[in-house]
């Protein structure tokens, strides 16, 4: 039987458990971008808890992006040195750490939040170059990998989506062409860094003429073929979906299983789990091997320690989504602290 605390293979990496911690907002950095003792302490607590893999809070590619003031940044002179301190700290606990990279808007001088069809080939080359330079910084900073934000409503998720991409050049039209901007980046990153590449991808989006699970499976196969090492499956608005009030069955489980059946790289189920029994039941009733959690780590970065000691653990997170809506790295329900 599988257990969430299994020591297991994850591609060519070794994980201390099947739990992947995925971050979101970073509210504890200094205004200059520098990391603070609170950030280092939080990451150390997560690494020491028994987590398998850490994916950082979002690093926003562009300083003027809509999420940049709620996110990490690479745009300060001490970034590589501080990143190396952070990754060295996490590696003490034999935990790999990936940097999450994405952006929502592409802005060019007076043109703000440009539509996909208005982005020129020169703009595409700039985006690719900026992503590759960021990846090189993460490599210098000691990260084991990078997570490319191709899901939710980030820019690249819209670029690969036929509902938003109506281009008639080689970066529009069929699935391969819409994904070309990403595939070209993956090749360069793999050729020039030691980073593993994890792609965070929507299972489907539910929009008219948008992404279906069938096309997502095709995209997953292409990402694997062109060098992606791992996939993480999500929903466009996953934090809003996964609440205690929403009693529907997690729609990602069946979709993730179908994607797993069609690729030969590890696939992570993103979101929706909050108890030890729930996760173990899922692991043993499906072909899913890895589960991502975000908000339980916001509530208590060390909750996995109690789960290992006591068994049958349940997160103290109430899935109120205040950390999401208020865009912070800390829980707002102080009265519910364990």
């Amino acid at each position: 039987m599988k257990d969430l605390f299994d020591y297991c293979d994850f591609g060519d990496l070794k994980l201390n458990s099947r739990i992947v911690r995925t971050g979101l907002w970073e509210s504890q950095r200094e205004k200059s971008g520098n990391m603070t003792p609170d950030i280092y302490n939080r990451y150390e607590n997560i690494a020491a808890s028994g987590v398998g893999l850490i994916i950082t809070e979002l690093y926003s590619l562009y300083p003027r992006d809509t999420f940049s003031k709620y996110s990490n940044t690479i745009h300060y002179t001490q970034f590589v040195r501080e990143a190396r301190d952070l990754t060295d700290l996490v590696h003490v606990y034999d935990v790999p750490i990936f940097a999450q990279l994405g952006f929502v808007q592409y802005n060019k001088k007076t043109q703000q939040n440009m539509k996909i069809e208005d982005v020129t080939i020169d703009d595409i080359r700039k985006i690719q170059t900026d992503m590759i330079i960021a990846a090189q910084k993460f490599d210098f900073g000691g990260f084991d990998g990078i997570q490319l934000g191709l899901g939710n409503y980030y820019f690249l998720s819209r670029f690969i989506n036929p509902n938003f991409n109506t281009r008639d050049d080689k970066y529009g039209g069929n699935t391969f062409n819409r994904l070309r901007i990403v595939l070209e980046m993956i090749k360069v990153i793999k050729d020039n860094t030691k980073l593993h590449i994890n792609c965070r991808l929507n299972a489907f989006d539910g929009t008219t003429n948008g992404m279906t699970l069938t096309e997502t499976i095709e995209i997953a196969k292409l990402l694997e073929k062109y060098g992606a090492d791992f996939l993480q499956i999500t929903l466009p608005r996953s934090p809003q979906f996964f609440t205690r009030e929403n009693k529907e069955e997690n729609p990602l489980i069946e979709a993730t299983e179908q994607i797993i059946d069609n690729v030969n790289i590890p696939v992570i189920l993103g979101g929706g789990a909050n108890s030890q029994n729930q996760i173990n039941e899922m692991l043993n009733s499906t072909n899913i091997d890895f589960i991502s959690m975000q908000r339980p780590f916001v509530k208590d970065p060390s909750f996995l320690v109690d789960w290992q000691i006591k068994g049958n653990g349940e997160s103290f997170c109430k899935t109120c989504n205040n950390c999401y809506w208020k865009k912070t790295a800390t829980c707002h329900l102080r009265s519910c602290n364990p």
Side-chain angles (χ1 to χ4, degrees):
M1 291 183 62
K2 292 186 287 186
D3 185 84
L4 71 91
F5 289 114
D6 287 338
Y7 183 72
C8 53
D9 293 330
F10 186 68
D12 61 357
L13 295 172
K14 300 288 187 181
L15 303 190
N16 295 324
S17 74
R18 300 180 184 274
I19 300 299
V20 176
R21 179 272 193 177
T22 302
L24 187 54
W25 310 121
E26 183 55 84
S27 58
Q28 294 183 306
R29 64 182 173 90
E30 295 178 356
K31 289 184 179 180
S32 60
N34 294 69
M35 299 181 191
T36 63
D38 285 338
I39 293 175
Y40 289 112
N41 289 338
R42 172 162 30 100
Y43 275 93
E44 182 171 21
N45 286 332
I46 295 171
S49 71
V51 73
L53 168 68
I54 292 176
I55 300 175
T56 67
E57 278 80 12
L58 175 66
Y59 282 92
S60 185
L61 184 63
Y62 293 120
R64 291 189 297 149
D65 187 44
T66 184
F67 286 158
S68 59
K69 61 184 176 181
Y70 312 114
S71 307
N72 280 308
T73 180
I74 59 173
H75 304 289
Y76 65 98
T77 56
Q78 295 177 309
F79 169 74
V80 171
R81 191 199 73 186
E82 293 188 353
R84 176 65 70 171
D85 290 340
L86 177 65
T87 56
D88 285 348
L89 179 63
V90 170
H91 288 155
V92 167
Y93 299 92
D94 296 322
V95 174
I97 179 169
F98 287 15
Q100 180 185 169
L101 180 66
F103 65 105
V104 177
Q105 301 171 328
Y106 182 67
N107 304 316
K108 184 173 67 174
K109 297 181 179 178
T110 59
Q111 295 176 273
Q112 302 292 300
N113 200 14
M114 293 176 64
K115 295 181 179 179
I116 305 301
E117 61 265 29
D118 295 330
V119 175
T120 67
I121 297 296
D122 285 344
D123 294 329
I124 289 173
R125 295 291 175 260
K126 183 180 188 312
I127 291 168
Q128 291 175 319
T129 300
D130 292 340
M131 295 283 281
I132 292 162
I133 290 172
Q136 289 176 318
K137 286 188 175 182
F138 292 134
D139 192 26
F140 296 151
F143 287 95
D144 301 283
I146 182 174
Q147 182 180 80
L148 298 178
L150 312 183
N152 307 114
Y153 280 121
Y154 289 176
F155 180 84
L156 290 175
S157 77
R158 301 198 307 277
F159 203 104
I160 67 179
N161 189 320
N163 189 52
F164 299 97
N165 185 338
T166 59
R167 301 173 68 95
D168 57 7
D169 62 2
K170 67 178 183 179
Y171 289 96
N174 63 39
T175 303
F176 180 87
N177 282 353
R178 284 182 276 112
L179 193 60
R180 186 190 300 267
I181 184 174
V182 177
L183 301 179
E184 291 173 342
M185 284 190 299
I186 289 175
K187 183 180 188 310
V188 176
I189 293 171
K190 295 289 284 189
D191 287 347
N192 292 277
T193 74
K194 302 183 296 296
L195 297 172
H196 297 81
I197 295 180
N198 175 14
C199 295
R200 189 174 186 178
L201 188 66
N202 291 334
F204 43 78
D205 66 12
T207 61
T208 304
N209 302 319
M211 294 286 297
T212 64
L213 177 57
T214 299
E215 186 165 27
T216 297
I217 290 172
E218 183 179 354
I219 288 174
K221 291 178 179 179
L222 286 168
L223 290 170
E224 177 186 14
K225 179 179 178 180
Y226 281 82
D229 300 287
F230 318 108
L231 301 174
Q232 182 166 325
I233 309 305
T234 187
L235 286 171
R237 299 184 181 275
S238 54
Q240 294 95 312
F241 179 87
F242 296 121
T243 64
R244 291 279 171 99
E245 289 71 30
N246 192 331
K247 300 302 183 181
E248 298 178 36
E249 184 178 350
N250 184 344
L252 283 184
I253 295 176
E254 182 178 353
T256 301
E257 286 195 277
Q258 290 190 48
I259 293 168
I260 289 170
D261 287 339
N262 283 276
V263 297
N264 294 305
I265 55 177
V267 180
I268 305 163
L269 170 69
N274 57 25
S275 78
Q276 194 167 355
N277 287 342
Q278 176 193 16
I279 293 171
N280 281 330
E281 180 180 354
M282 189 187 309
L283 289 171
N284 287 288
S285 61
T286 71
N287 60 1
I288 294 168
D289 289 327
F290 304 98
I291 310 290
S292 170
M293 304 179 78
Q294 186 257 325
R295 290 167 300 175
F297 284 102
V298 176
K299 181 60 187 170
D300 179 7
S302 300
F303 75 93
L304 289 177
V305 174
D306 288 336
W307 284 23
Q308 290 187 74
I309 295 172
K310 299 176 182 178
N312 303 325
E314 184 170 352
S315 170
F316 285 94
C317 172
K318 302 302 181 184
T319 61
C320 67
N321 279 334
N322 276 314
C323 59
Y324 174 79
W325 293 117
K326 297 181 180 180
K327 297 180 173 58
T328 64
T330 55
C331 183
H332 294 266
L333 296 179
R334 296 301 183 189
S335 62
C336 297
N337 279 337

